[in-house]
Amino acid sequence: MNFSLRSYLKRLRSTILGILIIGILPALLFGTNTQLEQNVWEYSIKNLKYPLFPDVFEKYQYSMTIFFAALLTGLAAALILTFFTTLLPRFLQRIVYGLLTFLESLPDLFIVVVLQFTVIYIYQSTGVLIANISNVYNNPIYLLPILTLAVLPTIQLFKIALLLMKDEQHKPYVTVARAMGLSRFYITIVHVFRNIITSLVQYYKTIFVFMLSNLFIVEYVFNLNGIMNVLLNTKGVAFMVTALMIAIPFSLLFEIAESNTIKVNKQEGEEAA
């Protein structure tokens, strides 16, 4: 099954309709407040007014930079961690898996506080400020929000990749490669990891939705001026525009990835048959 633009547009139509209903529902139920009436192409947060365009584009770019940097950081960290974990003895693998499972159970807010206190401690001990712990307007921060947003996806991807790795190591092609005298390092890097990355793509929707929901928390705790801050604190046109800016590209990405997953599964089924 290849990507179908017609199928995507049908699903997108339902998404847009839902956003429009949510956007106009407060006005239909409670009416408009004429005393607070303002230009529909403006929005206000904390009694400060901003022009919707081009301000919303800058906030969108800022949030997506943090989102995709955290995604790539989490993916790279998970693959590196998976590779080195598979080289450890089994009892150490279980310890690493248990520690990361424990870390996964911690709330996001706890991770944020630990990172902030670590930065403050390093600054007080050495005088070196490795990163700002809160956003100052027109001086956006990146390092701590990216690290915070990447922690939990790293753990989730690591646990999935580790299970996939164990499954791949028992497949016939790995046995054949070992019989041919290829090293474990070469087999893992060239063959096993390529198949693992293909399989990891199938978990894209869970990871993306999870990270988007966490982006709300990260922007709130670090006081970031991102697109989630606009979405959370506005209504009417500003809400609908920001919601569409998130929904349209991500739904397109999901549609393409799902089509690719179905295609890969179909090929694997044909090869197995």
Side-chain angles (χ1 to χ4, degrees), residues 142-160:
Y142 290 93
L143 182 59
L144 287 188
I146 290 172
L147 292 179
T148 304
L149 193 61
V151 168
L152 295 182
T154 298
I155 298 171
Q156 291 181 333
L157 288 169
F158 163 75
K159 294 171 73 174
I160 296 170

Side-chain angles (χ1 to χ4, degrees), residues 80-264:
I80 293 172
L81 193 58
T82 302
F83 175 73
F84 285 106
T85 301
T86 55
L87 301 179
L88 296 174
R90 287 188 179 276
F91 78 97
L92 287 179
Q93 289 185 21
R94 287 196 290 270
I95 292 175
V96 172
Y97 192 87
L99 287 175
L100 291 178
T101 302
F102 170 73
L103 186 60
E104 186 183 21
S105 66
L106 299 176
D108 295 349
L109 189 59
F110 178 80
I111 296 172
V112 172
V113 172
V114 169
L115 287 173
Q116 289 180 330
F117 271 98
T118 302
V119 171
I120 293 171
Y121 176 76
I122 293 173
Y123 178 69
Q124 290 179 337
S125 302
T126 65
V128 177
L129 182 62
I130 60 175
N132 289 321
I133 60 173
S134 183
N135 186 61
V136 179
Y137 199 65
N138 294 329
N139 186 24
I141 63 174
Y142 290 93
L143 182 59
L144 287 188
I146 290 172
L147 292 179
T148 304
L149 193 61
V151 168
L152 295 182
T154 298
I155 298 171
Q156 291 181 333
L157 288 169
F158 163 75
K159 294 171 73 174
I160 296 170
L162 191 61
L163 293 174
L164 293 172
M165 174 77 83
K166 291 180 178 178
D167 185 54
E168 287 290 325
Q169 287 176 338
H170 293 89
K171 289 189 174 179
Y173 77 89
V174 175
T175 305
V176 173
R178 287 175 180 168
M180 293 173 62
L182 298 178
S183 67
R184 184 180 178 184
F185 179 83
Y186 179 84
I187 296 171
T188 302
I189 295 295
V190 177
H191 298 289
V192 175
F193 261 105
R194 183 180 59 188
N195 294 337
I196 285 178
I197 291 174
T198 303
S199 300
L200 275 178
V201 173
Q202 299 182 21
Y203 297 89
Y204 66 93
K205 191 174 290 184
T206 302
I207 299 297
F208 273 41
V209 172
F210 179 76
M211 289 185 67
L212 279 174
S213 61
N214 278 0
L215 190 57
F216 274 105
I217 300 173
V218 170
E219 289 196 3
Y220 178 78
V221 174
F222 285 103
N223 192 30
L224 306 183
N225 292 300
I227 195 70
M228 294 301 183
N229 187 36
V230 180
L231 187 66
L232 194 64
N233 292 288
T234 61
K235 56 185 179 181
V237 175
F239 170 83
M240 289 187 283
V241 169
T242 52
L244 290 173
M245 288 178 70
I246 295 171
I248 292 175
F250 276 94
S251 60
L252 176 61
L253 192 62
F254 290 171
E255 191 77 21
I256 295 173
E258 187 173 354
S259 301
N260 183 64
T261 299
I262 293 174
K263 182 180 178 181
V264 170

Side-chain angles (χ1 to χ4, degrees), residues 14-48:
S14 302
T15 302
I16 293 174
L17 183 61
I19 291 173
L20 293 177
I21 291 174
I22 294 173
I24 64 175
L25 196 59
L28 292 176
L29 293 176
F30 307 109
T32 56
N33 189 340
T34 54
Q35 292 181 338
L36 299 177
E37 189 175 358
Q38 62 182 25
N39 190 329
V40 294
W41 302 114
E42 290 182 342
Y43 68 94
S44 59
I45 298 177
K46 296 179 181 178
N47 297 322
L48 294 176

